[in-house]
C-alpha cells in the first residue's frame, strides 16, 4: 500500500475523522415531535474508513473535497468541477443521522444539542456530513491531509467528516453479464495492451514510492459507475464464486478504472484490502505492481 494509507488510518483512528455547495444549518424544530422509538438502521463511519470499506469511491471522494473547499472558503479549489451529488438532505435522513450520532456517543438525552454543520452530498445512498455537539466554538486549526491523493487542507477533529451508511435492499438484483479476472479477460480478448497500460498506470498511482512506467496513460472515466451497476457487479462477484463464502454486504468495489470496449473494469474484494503486498505480475507484457492485478475484475455484459 502506498505510504499515505497507513498514515491516514492512524490519523483516522487517533482523531476519529469519519462533504452540496452550501452548508446545512441546524434544524431541531420538529425533533420533539418525532417518534422516539424510530429504528435507525444506519451507521456512521469516518470518511477515510468509509472509503476503505468501499462505501464511497474516488469520484465521491473528490466531490466531497470540492464541497469541503467551499465550506472552508479556500481561495483556490482544485476540485471545483468534481462535485457530483444531486440530492438534498431530507429532514428524515437528517434526523436519523443525529439519532445515529447520539447512539454512537451515548448522548441520547441531548438530541437537541447535535447539529449538522455542513452537508457534502449523498453518494450511493450514503449521506456525508460534518456534525457537532453543543455550542462549543469550532476550531479551524488542523493539518493538511492527503486521502488517497485527494487533499483536505487544514483538517481537524472539530470538522470531522462522517458518512451515514444504510444497508441496501439487495434481493431484486439481477446479473446480466459475466465477471472475469483481468488476466482471463485479456486472454479472452476483452482488453488489449493499451487498455492494460491504462489500468496499470492507475494501479501505480496508488504507490507513490514507485516509478510509474505508464505515467500519463490512464484513461480516466468522465464519471463513476451508477449505483445500480455497482450492485449488479457485487451480485455477479457473489454468484460467480469469486467471493467464495463472502456475503453480498461484505463484497466491496474499491476502484473503477473505466469501461473499455463496453467492458467494465473494477477493483473488487470480498476479503478486505484490495492491494496486497507481493511481487509484480506480467499480463500481456504489461507490469502490474505488487500483485495488484489479483483484485481487478472485468465485467462483460451479455
Amino acid at each position: 500500500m502506498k505510504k499515505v494509507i497507513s498514515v491516514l488510518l492512524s490519523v483516522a483512528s487517533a482523531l476519529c475523522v469519519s462533504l452540496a455547495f452550501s452548508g446545512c444549518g441546524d434544524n431541531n424544530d420538529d425533533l420533539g415531535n418525532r417518534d422516539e422509538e424510530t429504528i435507525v438502521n444506519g451507521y456512521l463511519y469516518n470518511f477515510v474508513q468509509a472509503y476503505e470499506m468501499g462505501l464511497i469511491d474516488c469520484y465521491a471522494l473528490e466531490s466531497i473535497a470540492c464541497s469541503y473547499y467551499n465550506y472552508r472558503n479556500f481561495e483556490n479549489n482544485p476540485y471545483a468541477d468534481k462535485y457530483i451529488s444531486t440530492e438534498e438532505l431530507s429532514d428524515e435522513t437528517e434526523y436519523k443521522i443525529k439519532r445515529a450520532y447520539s447512539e454512537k456517543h451515548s448522548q441520547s438525552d441531548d438530541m437537541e444539542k447535535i447539529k449538522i454543520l455542513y452537508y457534502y452530498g449523498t453518494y450511493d445512498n450514503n449521506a456525508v456530513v460534518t456534525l457537532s455537539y453543543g455550542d462549543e466554538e469550532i476550531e479551524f486549526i488542523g493539518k493538511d491531509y492527503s486521502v488517497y491523493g485527494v487533499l483536505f487542507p487544514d483538517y481537524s477533529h472539530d470538522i470531522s467528516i462522517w458518512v451515514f451508511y444504510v444497508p441496501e435492499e439487495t434481493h431484486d438484483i439481477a446479473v446480466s453479464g459475466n465477471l472475469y479476472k483481468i488476466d482471463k479477460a485479456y486472454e479472452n480478448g476483452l482488453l488489449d495492451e493499451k487498455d492494460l497500460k491504462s489500468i496499470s498506470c492507475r494501479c501505480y498511482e496508488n504507490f507513490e514510492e514507485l516509478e510509474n512506467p505508464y505515467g500519463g496513460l490512464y484513461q480516466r472515466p468522465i464519471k463513476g459507475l451508477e449505483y445500480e451497476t455497482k450492485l449488479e457487479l457485487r451480485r455477479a462477484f457473489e454468484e460467480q464464486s469469486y467471493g467464495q463464502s463472502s456475503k453480498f454486504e461484505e463484497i466491496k468495489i474499491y476502484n473503477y478504472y473505466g469501461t473499455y470496449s463496453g467492458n467494465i473494469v473494477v477493483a473488487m474484494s470480498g476479503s478486505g484490502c484490495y492491494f496486497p503486498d507481493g511481487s509484480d505480475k506480467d499480463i500481456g507484457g504489461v507490469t502490474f505492481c505488487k500483485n495488484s492485478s489479483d483484485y481487478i475484475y472485468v465485467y462483460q455484459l451479455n
Side-chain angles (χ1 to χ4, degrees):
M1 301 284 278
K2 65 180 186 176
K3 293 180 292 185
V4 70
I5 294 178
S6 61
V7 175
L8 288 169
L9 289 179
S10 62
V11 169
S13 175
L15 298 181
C16 296
V17 298
S18 298
L19 288 149
F21 283 105
S22 60
C24 179
D26 184 34
N27 184 7
N28 292 310
D29 294 343
D30 59 349
L31 287 180
N33 298 323
R34 297 280 185 174
D35 181 0
E36 292 301 328
E37 301 302 319
T38 298
I39 298 175
V40 178
N41 62 331
Y43 307 90
L44 281 172
Y45 298 98
N46 68 67
F47 79 120
V48 178
Q49 182 184 20
Y51 185 87
E52 288 282 343
M53 295 172 63
L55 302 182
I56 55 175
D57 60 18
C58 55
Y59 299 92
L61 193 61
E62 290 180 336
S63 180
I64 293 167
C66 173
S67 195
Y68 173 80
Y69 275 74
N70 281 282
Y71 172 38
R72 299 296 311 281
N73 293 316
F74 292 124
E75 183 175 350
N76 297 314
N77 187 346
Y79 309 102
D81 60 343
K82 303 298 185 182
Y83 190 76
I84 58 176
S85 177
T86 59
E87 299 181 44
E88 295 183 1
L89 185 63
S90 69
D91 291 342
E92 188 66 26
T93 299
E94 181 177 343
Y95 174 75
K96 290 181 178 180
I97 291 172
K98 292 179 179 180
R99 277 286 302 274
Y101 184 84
S102 70
E103 293 170 6
K104 185 179 183 71
H105 295 279
S106 301
Q107 296 167 338
S108 57
D109 295 332
D110 297 306
M111 279 283 292
E112 70 279 1
K113 294 183 179 180
I114 302 170
K115 301 175 183 179
I116 294 180
L117 298 181
Y118 203 79
Y119 166 61
Y120 303 88
T122 296
Y123 309 92
D124 294 347
N125 294 333
N126 304 306
V128 186
V129 297
T130 281
L131 290 154
S132 73
Y133 180 80
D135 298 320
E136 294 183 4
E137 184 177 348
I138 301 301
E139 180 63 72
F140 288 112
I141 299 177
K143 298 180 179 179
D144 293 352
Y145 289 116
S146 177
V147 184
Y148 294 83
V150 179
L151 181 63
F152 290 81
D154 195 26
Y155 189 86
S156 70
H157 172 71
D158 284 346
I159 49 175
S160 293
I161 301 167
W162 297 89
V163 176
F164 181 64
Y165 163 71
V166 178
E168 308 98 335
E169 295 290 338
T170 60
H171 52 277
D172 293 329
I173 302 171
V175 175
S176 59
N178 295 306
L179 196 66
Y180 300 92
K181 296 292 287 289
I182 188 171
D183 51 354
K184 294 299 181 182
Y186 174 73
E187 292 174 7
N188 292 340
L190 303 183
L191 301 172
D192 59 22
E193 182 180 349
K194 181 180 178 181
D195 300 333
L196 291 176
K197 289 181 178 180
S198 171
I199 299 164
S200 179
C201 175
R202 182 67 182 93
C203 290
Y204 271 95
E205 290 176 357
N206 284 277
F207 296 91
E208 292 181 336
E209 73 277 12
L210 298 179
E211 182 180 354
N212 189 345
Y214 310 111
L217 297 183
Y218 179 48
Q219 304 172 40
R220 179 184 174 86
I222 297 176
K223 62 178 182 178
L225 291 172
E226 297 293 335
Y227 181 51
E228 291 74 15
T229 303
K230 293 180 181 179
L231 296 179
E232 182 176 343
L233 286 166
R234 290 166 61 193
R235 179 67 81 202
F237 189 92
E238 176 188 48
E239 291 184 356
Q240 297 175 22
S241 300
Y242 287 108
Q244 299 177 350
S245 60
S246 295
K247 298 179 180 179
F248 179 87
E249 59 269 19
E250 297 172 340
I251 300 167
K252 305 299 181 183
I253 296 176
Y254 294 96
N255 205 344
Y256 168 51
Y257 295 94
T259 298
Y260 302 83
S261 300
N263 303 303
I264 300 170
V265 184
V266 295
M268 297 181 67
S269 175
S271 58
C273 182
Y274 68 103
F275 278 138
D277 290 330
S279 59
D280 296 347
K281 185 173 183 177
D282 182 277
I283 301 176
V286 176
T287 301
F288 283 81
C289 58
K290 295 192 180 290
N291 214 21
S292 55
S293 64
D294 275 10
Y295 288 81
I296 300 178
Y297 294 84
V298 180
Y299 189 60
Q300 180 188 36
L301 295 172
N302 293 329

